[in-house]
Amino acid sequence: MAFQEKRVALVTGATQGIGLAVAEGLASQGHKVFICARDAEAVKDTVTALTAKELEVDGTTCDVTSKADIKAVVRAAVDRFGPIDVLVNNAGRAGGGVTAEIPDELWEDVINTNLNSVFLMTREVLTAGGMRAKNRGRIINIASTAGKQGVVLGAPYSASKHGVVGFTKALGNELGPTGITVNAVCPGYVETPMAQGIRQRYAQAFQTTEEAILEKFQAKIPLGRYSTPEEVAGLVCYLATDTAASITAQALNVCGGLGNF
Ligand code: NDP
């Protein structure tokens, strides 16, 4: 859906997988899109590739576990394109194992990357990013179906994503009277580099092959296949439209039927 004026979107973790599809989708929909990730080369290559498709995209490095980086990326996005209308908190990491053996560092990094970053980035965008002053906007958090049910050997990940869903519902209700909506999109299994890594680690944990793990996962999905990053981006892009104004404080699945909740 085209807007009369170009709106500004900030997408975290947008150099591959779901974030990349979201950045391309929002830019194709008429947004100016500012992206970030940790790998400077990947950010540069992504900006070049999307700009070559005549999309208005720029970006910089940011580690969402760093408070200083979060402040810097929001400032950079506003300097480049203006106040932020759409924030997509997508950057995330997998992480788990036998819970009794999980080191502090792993637990803390998963919670910092997947959950604390969502609060810190959202607060920065509402204030320095100009969203609260505009009293209009879209905050879209990429959670997971693992944010609604427990995942075996995934306690830190599941805990972080349940946290994202809870944060989303609370903030959505809080900002209800404003023109700012807050929603979580909950993918199930999506074919991305992260999904490939997860299959590798489960194959090691269960001493089997990645193909066997893929078959096992696919058998759980009513559609019989992984979702695509573009299918997840489709819902994100819809939530960014004016028509989606009455959808707020929700956690919506894109999962091939994996979750019915
Ligand atoms: P990928 O690992 O394929 O891509 C992650 C992106 O985030 C990369 O651009 C990566 O770049 C960036 N990133 C990772 N850590 C940080 C960080 N600390 N700071 C800034 N950027 C970071 O992930 P997916 O596309 O699969 O997942 C995207 C989101 O969707 C995540 O939140 C994930 O939890 C969620 N999700 C994914 C599912 C799946 O099956 N794939 C299922 C359910 C939810 P760089 O490494 O350079 O920083």
Side-chain angles (χ1 to χ4, degrees):
M1 187 172 296
F3 300 119
Q4 287 182 330
E5 62 188 280
K6 277 207 164 192
R7 293 188 182 169
V8 177
L10 172 60
V11 185
T12 67
T15 53
Q16 62 183 36
I18 293 168
L20 175 58
V22 166
E24 181 159 4
L26 287 174
S28 304
Q29 195 170 268
H31 289 81
K32 296 187 246 187
V33 179
F34 202 83
I35 67 161
C36 70
R38 291 167 301 179
D39 181 335
E41 204 63 29
V43 171
K44 189 164 149 265
D45 291 349
T46 304
V47 169
T48 303
L50 293 178
T51 306
K53 294 183 180 180
E54 302 193 349
L55 299 173
E56 207 166 349
V57 176
D58 208 341
T60 189
T61 53
C62 167
D63 182 340
V64 296
T65 65
S66 155
K67 290 181 181 177
D69 280 14
I70 285 175
K71 284 191 181 300
V73 75
V74 171
R75 199 177 319 117
V78 172
D79 286 351
R80 178 70 178 86
F81 288 141
I84 296 165
D85 300 285
V86 178
L87 168 64
V88 183
N89 282 307
N90 166 78
R93 58 159 293 175
V98 175
T99 302
E101 294 163 15
I102 288 173
D104 292 359
E105 295 71 24
L106 176 60
W107 177 271
E108 284 160 9
D109 196 53
V110 173
I111 300 295
N112 281 332
T113 307
N114 294 358
L115 175 58
N116 291 339
S117 72
V118 173
F119 161 63
L120 293 168
M121 188 65 82
T122 299
R123 186 177 63 182
E124 194 65 16
V125 164
L126 283 169
T127 52
M131 193 181 277
R132 193 165 57 162
K134 275 193 175 185
N135 222 15
R136 183 190 79 194
R138 299 283 185 262
I139 297 167
I140 302 159
N141 301 321
I142 307 301
S144 171
T145 50
K148 295 180 171 184
Q149 67 180 37
V151 171
V152 173
L153 300 183
Y157 186 77
S158 243
S160 69
K161 295 298 186 176
H162 275 75
V164 171
V165 169
F167 175 75
T168 301
K169 290 177 177 175
L171 185 64
N173 286 344
E174 179 186 325
L175 297 180
T178 73
I180 302 170
T181 67
V182 190
N183 290 289
V185 169
C186 298
Y189 290 102
V190 186
E191 194 52 54
T192 68
M194 179 189 281
Q196 288 158 15
I198 289 171
R199 287 199 297 270
Q200 276 168 12
R201 287 190 292 278
Y202 271 100
Q204 278 167 7
F206 291 113
Q207 298 191 326
T208 182
T209 62
E210 285 174 44
E211 290 69 32
I213 294 293
L214 177 62
E215 265 180 42
K216 190 176 155 190
F217 286 174
Q218 281 174 336
K220 290 197 283 186
I221 308 168
L223 233 63
R225 65 165 177 84
Y226 277 47
S227 302
T228 66
E230 290 71 25
E231 288 169 336
V232 179
L235 178 57
V236 175
C237 289
Y238 175 66
L239 290 171
T241 64
D242 286 348
T243 318
S246 82
I247 304 176
T248 197
Q250 302 301 307
L252 304 166
N253 302 337
V254 181
C255 65
L258 179 73
N260 298 132
F261 42 79

